Amino acid sequence: MNFQLTEEQLAVRDAAREFAQIELLPGVIERDTEGKFAKEQIKKMGQLGFLGMMVDPKYNGGGMDTLSYVLAMEELSKIDASASVAMSVNNSLVCWGLEKYGTEAQKEKYLKPLAAGEILGAFCLSEPEAGSDATSQKTEAHFNGDYYILNGTKNWITNGSSASVYLIIAQTDPIKAHKGISVFIIEKGWEGFIIGKKEDKMGIRGSDTHSLMFTDVKIPVENRIGEEGFGFTFAMETLNGGRIGIAAQALGIAAGAYELSLAYSKERKTFGKPISQHQAIQFKLADMVTQIEAARLMVYKAAWLKDNGEDYAHASAMAKLFASQVAMDVTIEAVQVHGGYGYVKEYHVERLMRDAKITQIYEGTSEIQKIVISRKILK
Ligand code: CAA
């Protein structure tokens, strides 16, 4: 067992850390307050290769391993989880599926600019009545002999108004239930495609989350990914990898809150000494760092399994389940360590606490992860 990161992985981690400090930290409070998308910063992330990290260089990607992606996600999430979710969706939900299952023409047209970070992608599975129960898709795409005609609504779509390319999961044969679900690529601006309201969220407020509406949107056949009926498997397989990214995000949120708490505890004095000298705070810090280390090992292992061609669905579900709980627990304690200062925006930890909550919800709630895990162990 080798716990040593390679030179390349360390370089990626350091580059992400530096980018987060220089580019994301200034303005992160303002973006959270105003619900503003980090458009310029995400453009720079694209230029630096953070948006297509694992894609083959022949499609403009970085050709890196999943562990490098996890390291970058962790560092960026310490500072700005709104920016890191845009990155996560582009890398693991959009580029990954396109590279694995797209045709050469689809890769040429869509994957190349997505991996280069010239445009952003969105992954559209959730609906008003199909969140956890993802097989209950109501969005339909009917083939009329020339085109698929898409009708329906998608909810809570990350990069909803900022994306240029959208992967849409839709029912093409309702009688076949989940085996009649397909997946399509559509573009912003196509007739009948309306970007709906922006969500006013508790956390990741700088993330661009919208509903999307489709009325008789014409989709060319060549924009279907895989065969008809492949869409649900596509979504599930994509999410298996996506959950590693969200687990890394949760890990980063927790680690960011811990680092702030450690530094603060050495500065803040009560009863004549730094609060780090009080056992009440020392025990909190010890619990935080231990939980984070355990989460880190699980997230890195899930990435390692994926990089080594092993089955990682189970490990990614466990990593997300555990890391998201750690993110919640650690950020709550971080606010407590900061006391009154922790309750105001300036000290960052209240934002990290709000941001942590979504990691227990999106890309499969914690309850869904437990379904995935228990089905595997009971098989
Ligand atoms: N990997 C691969 N295949 C899987 C799978 C997995 N993790 N989970 C299920 N499948 C397959 C099953 O093997 C089955 O295939 P067959 O019919 O060929 O045997 C098929 O999918 C249907 O599975 P089930 O019978 O288990 O279906 P179910 O309805 O009982 O449960 C579920 C499925 C696991 C609960 C699924 O609906 C699920 O994962 N729900 C959560 C959806 C989710 O994560 N949404 C996140 C939205 S995206 C998002 O948040 C992105 C963002 O913007 C940040």
Side-chain angles (χ1 to χ4, degrees), residues 314-333:
H314 182 220
S316 75
M318 289 201 296
K320 181 179 179 295
L321 174 66
F322 188 77
S324 61
Q325 185 62 51
V326 168
M328 212 56 249
D329 293 346
V330 166
T331 54
I332 287 172
E333 283 298 70

Side-chain angles (χ1 to χ4, degrees), residues 126 132 134 158 178-179 232 236 239-240 243 362-364 375:
S126 302
S132 290
T158 302
H178 75 273
K179 290 187 189 297
F232 195 72
M236 290 297 107
L239 283 164
N240 288 337
R243 288 166 184 162
Y362 58 21
E363 297 203 23
R375 280 185 184 172

Side-chain angles (χ1 to χ4, degrees), residues 133-145:
D133 184 8
T135 56
S136 296
Q137 295 288 306
K138 298 278 188 298
T139 297
E140 292 194 351
H142 289 296
F143 190 56
N144 71 1

Side-chain angles (χ1 to χ4, degrees), residues 85 89 93 123 125-126 131-135 156-158 178-179 232-233 236-237 239-240 243 246 313 361-365 368-369 371-372 375:
V85 71
V89 165
L93 297 189
F123 177 83
L125 172 69
S126 302
S132 290
D133 184 8
T135 56
W156 311 294
I157 302 303
T158 302
H178 75 273
K179 290 187 189 297
F232 195 72
T233 303
M236 290 297 107
E237 286 196 10
L239 283 164
N240 288 337
R243 288 166 184 162
I246 300 304
I361 297 173
Y362 58 21
E363 297 203 23
T365 61
I368 290 294
Q369 307 314 322
I371 291 178
V372 174
R375 280 185 184 172

Side-chain angles (χ1 to χ4, degrees), residues 65-66 96 100 244 301-313:
D65 59 9
T66 312
W96 184 85
K100 185 151 170 92
I244 300 177
K301 185 181 172 195
W304 183 89
L305 287 171
K306 181 164 174 282
D307 287 334
N308 284 278
E310 306 274 349
D311 181 4
Y312 55 90

Side-chain angles (χ1 to χ4, degrees), residues 127-246:
E127 298 187 352
E129 291 172 59
S132 290
D133 184 8
T135 56
S136 296
Q137 295 288 306
K138 298 278 188 298
T139 297
E140 292 194 351
H142 289 296
F143 190 56
N144 71 1
D146 296 316
Y147 291 94
Y148 284 94
I149 304 293
L150 179 74
N151 282 286
T153 303
K154 294 288 174 183
N155 262 28
W156 311 294
I157 302 303
T158 302
N159 301 339
S161 76
S162 319
S164 303
V165 169
Y166 299 75
L167 302 190
I168 310 287
I169 313 295
Q171 191 64 254
T172 42
D173 190 349
I175 292 164
K176 291 187 184 159
H178 75 273
K179 290 187 189 297
I181 290 172
S182 304
V183 54
F184 302 92
I185 308 164
I186 73 163
E187 296 175 28
K188 180 188 259 164
W190 281 5
E191 200 178 336
F193 174 15
I194 292 170
I195 294 164
K197 80 171 169 71
K198 181 175 167 159
E199 299 296 347
D200 186 7
K201 307 186 296 294
M202 169 200 275
I204 56 161
R205 290 181 52 77
S207 155
D208 175 41
T209 316
H210 284 257
S211 56
L212 308 175
M213 277 88 81
F214 315 107
T215 309
D216 295 334
V217 178
K218 281 203 252 174
I219 311 178
V221 179
E222 64 264 26
N223 276 34
R224 193 186 66 221
I225 301 176
E227 296 299 315
E228 266 198 21
F230 175 62
F232 195 72
T233 303
F234 177 90
M236 290 297 107
E237 286 196 10
T238 303
L239 283 164
N240 288 337
R243 288 166 184 162
I244 300 177
I246 300 304

